[in-house]
Amino acid sequence: MSHLPVLIIDLALILAAAGVTTLLFKKIKQPLVLGYILAGLLVGPHVKFLPTVTDNESIHIWAEIGVIFLLFSLGLEFSFKKLVKVGGSASVTAVVEVVSMLSIGFAAGIAMGWSTMDSIFLGGILSVSSTTIIIRAFEELNVKHKKFAGLVFGVLIVEDLVAILLLVLLSTLAVSQQFAGVEMLTSILKLCFFLVLWFIAGIFLIPTFLKKTRKLMNDETMLIVAIALCLLMVLLAVKVGFSAALGAFIMGSILAETTQAEHIEHLTKSVKDLFAAIFFVSVGMLIDPSILIDYTVPILIITLATVFGKFLSSGLGALISGQPLKTAVQTGMSLAQIGEFSFIIATLGLSLKVTSDFLYPIAVAVSAITTFTTPYLIKASEPFYNFLERTLPKKWVAGIQRYSSSTAGITTLSDWKILLRAYTTNTVIHSVILIALVFFGSKYIQPFITEHIINGDRGIIISLILTLILMAPFVWALSIRRMQRNAYSHLWLNKKYTRGPLIALEVLRIGLGTFFVAFLIFQFYDTFVATLIAMAIIIAGIFVFSRKLQSFYDRLENRFLGNLNARQAQHAPEILPWDTHLTELVVSPDSVLVGQTLVDLAVREKYGINIALIERGKRMIPTPSRDERLYPHDKVLIIGSDDQLATVKPLFEGQGDANEAYDFPKNEMTLQKVVINSQSPIYKQSIRDSGIREKSQGLVVGIERKGIRILNPDSNLVFENEDIVWIVGNHKKIPELLR
């Protein structure tokens, strides 16, 4: 008998335990994550009455793969464009919440006598809410269409990016074991540099690659390519000193900008679910029940700090950002939990051996408790708001409403803001690209040419020229390119006192371009010579190659923007301070709306809503006409209040309109053979006049007459004696009609 490897035995044990517990948690309608953790506890080393996993090292490797795919899937849902579109409200709310919870967690840890590092990691664990738990709760409570849900999703998007930043900062802090300001700043700048560089390169290359190979891609090859891209970015991230999780998240967010994002997300979901299950089971394996008993009081304290701290900080952030009191209360009570990112931060501290053994199981216990409380808090948020509105002084409520209204109207940007924003974005993006090209030329191009092609000074000169050619369009864009021409002209012509700052900006841009060229040349020659050559190159570029560089750069920019906007969804601003907003509903195939025109539906007259956009496949129909029809799977952008949207939502989902046709049992539809004779009720009648379709829910699909077979016969064909008729229909009603 062959010997079965221990890893396979352990994997079978893990998945069997996970299968049983998740079925149980599905039955009691609780998040599956908790079922996985319970499975890990049962097969872990701390529970002795069940078979135990023995090869812990291999399981931890699989769990690390689970983290990679979990972060990859979060990246696919993240999208940098979503981050840009969440707006100031979500950003302000997220920042206030994260900073507050970092402080609350740190203060709670210190107050309980924990070490500084334990307290810092506790703050990180408490600062990020659970995307999985919130989405599940919103779906179960049917509140995804409500206004506050949009704000919550925006906050979660910002929190995902903040969590990635926290992973980098906590790793740096854990390694240095001290608050080294310069080292932390270096880590932040390094992270920002690589985020910008990878995003630009990824958007420029990957969507184009997927478009070129689209005809060669089936589900199998697309899955392989997507996972390969994910793991390649993981390798790259680890190579430059970041975590594997960061690389997976970045590649997911790049692929989220492509037109194949939904397809990739669908294909990789099963892989992610499998490895994520192993990760969460490994989380449960690390829990020691005796520690939970010993630390019951800290668990209760941290749970209360999480619920009340997140409610107050998120609610306060929403109010500061200009949201109404109702939205702020609902947002705060929705975000009052911790989840998957908290596990990853806790795992980081454990793997780096900088946190105590008790912190990890405490984090898991708090997550489990807040997971159970989340649906009840969301459900209680509106009654609690009504209580606050009745209880708070009227002046306070009116003041919050005035503040919300005033902040909603602040949308005008001055010419200076427009110009400075464009110049800042241009400078950051092209500086990152130029720095990357300088190091690419000096660290890779020059050694390759001098070692394999031409030695000595000639090899260095060729390397320098090639790198300068690569840098030329980006130096031109940084130093010479005109941006926001209307704003610039308005400032130059209408406000003479602004010409000095405008000239200074242009000089600064040319100086930056000169610096980057000089920085490259300095890698090969001394400073003085580098500066002179750089100035000569910049002047030559301005007067000789400007038009060609502009043409080449425009092609690069158009390709980048085309890739970036390929999956662009249309959104419109919210209408404040009223509780009116946009939401997207999908027309179910079972909906009574299918096939009807908008004028017949009269949704504005009946429900008070307006349809702003219909998305049908790749086709967008903005402000559809009265004669436009709705079809199954149409995505409809609707504007209305929470109550109006709640009323109309069941119509789109096909709820509450079941009838006999919808209830028809599928297994009663069969293919039947009927022989016509002179006594048959339909003898000498045409198919149309026979009433087979109307009376028996049947369809004539074939007739055999005198050895001749007629497939899908014309409805005017008349039944004759001894015709053999094939009918698809209700096997109970057809014999009644034809006998």
Side-chain angles (χ1 to χ4, degrees), residues 326-568:
K326 181 180 180 180
T327 302
V329 171
Q330 291 174 315
T331 300
M333 296 181 77
S334 299
L335 292 167
Q337 80 291 121
I338 59 175
E340 54 277 354
F341 253 124
S342 302
F343 298 152
I344 295 171
I345 293 173
T347 304
L348 175 67
L350 206 60
S351 62
L352 295 175
K353 295 181 171 44
V354 295
T355 56
S356 303
D357 292 338
F358 60 78
L359 182 59
Y360 193 96
I362 285 177
V364 175
V366 172
S367 173
I369 295 172
T370 54
T371 296
F372 282 113
T373 60
T374 295
Y376 300 102
L377 290 174
I378 296 173
K379 194 180 296 185
S381 61
E382 191 163 351
F384 184 65
Y385 158 72
N386 295 330
F387 168 76
L388 285 179
E389 191 178 34
R390 293 192 306 268
T391 307
L392 290 176
K394 299 298 182 183
K395 290 184 179 180
W396 292 14
V397 176
I400 293 172
Q401 290 178 346
R402 285 196 302 272
Y403 176 73
S404 175
S405 301
S406 62
T407 54
I410 304 174
T411 57
T412 305
L413 291 177
S414 67
D415 289 331
W416 268 116
K417 286 184 179 179
I418 294 172
L419 194 65
L420 290 176
R421 179 181 293 177
Y423 273 43
T424 301
T425 303
N426 182 72
T427 301
V428 170
I429 290 175
H430 293 99
S431 295
V432 168
I433 295 173
L434 289 170
I435 291 172
L437 289 175
V438 167
F439 282 102
F440 178 71
S442 60
K443 302 298 182 183
Y444 295 97
I445 294 180
Q446 189 266 331
F448 178 80
I449 290 178
T450 54
E451 291 177 13
H452 298 91
I453 301 177
I454 301 177
N455 295 325
D457 290 338
R458 287 185 300 171
I460 294 175
I461 293 173
I462 292 173
S463 305
L464 180 60
I465 292 173
L466 287 176
T467 309
L468 284 171
I469 291 173
L470 292 175
M471 293 173 58
F474 305 106
V475 173
W476 173 86
L478 174 66
S479 303
I480 311 300
R481 180 192 180 207
R482 290 292 179 191
M483 295 170 293
Q484 297 295 340
R485 294 177 181 271
N486 291 336
Y488 190 96
S489 300
H490 186 264
L491 290 171
W492 182 266
L493 296 174
N494 296 341
K495 299 180 179 180
K496 293 183 179 180
Y497 61 85
T498 63
R499 291 186 177 180
L502 290 175
I503 293 173
L505 279 176
E506 298 304 321
V507 172
L508 177 62
R509 293 177 64 197
I510 294 174
L512 279 174
T514 305
F515 166 77
F516 283 116
V517 175
F519 182 52
L520 170 66
I521 301 172
F522 179 66
Q523 307 300 313
F524 310 100
Y525 300 101
D526 62 57
T527 308
F528 179 73
V529 174
T531 304
L532 290 179
I533 296 175
M535 288 298 297
I537 291 173
I538 291 292
I539 293 172
I542 293 173
F543 293 104
V544 180
F545 302 109
S546 180
R547 189 177 298 276
K548 292 183 178 180
L549 289 174
Q550 179 177 355
S551 175
F552 180 71
Y553 181 84
D554 287 343
R555 290 199 298 272
L556 293 178
E557 184 180 51
N558 290 336
R559 176 171 160 182
F560 177 83
L561 293 177
N563 289 342
L564 183 64
N565 296 322
R567 198 191 165 210
Q568 184 175 12

Side-chain angles (χ1 to χ4, degrees), residues 45-63:
H46 303 292
V47 176
K48 303 298 184 183
F49 59 86
L50 289 175
T52 301
V53 171
T54 55
D55 190 2
N56 291 327
E57 185 176 350
S58 296
I59 297 302
H60 290 157
I61 293 174
W62 285 51

Side-chain angles (χ1 to χ4, degrees), residues 3 13 20 40 69 143 294-295 297 309 397 405 436 501 546 568 575 584 661 710:
H3 175 69
L13 183 61
V20 172
F69 284 111
V143 296
D294 295 338
Y295 286 87
V297 174
V397 176
S405 301
S546 180
Q568 184 175 12
I575 299 178
E584 183 183 272
I710 306 170

Side-chain angles (χ1 to χ4, degrees), residues 303-322:
T303 299
L304 293 174
T306 301
V307 173
F308 289 103
K310 281 183 170 286
F311 165 63
L312 293 174
S313 59
S314 302
L316 178 62
L319 287 176
I320 292 173
S321 69

Side-chain angles (χ1 to χ4, degrees), residues 185 203 219 225 311 375 389 449 601 613 617 634 656 669 690:
L185 180 61
I203 294 299
D219 287 353
V225 167
F311 165 63
E389 191 178 34
I449 290 178
L601 293 175
L613 173 78
D634 278 355
M669 287 293 288
S690 66

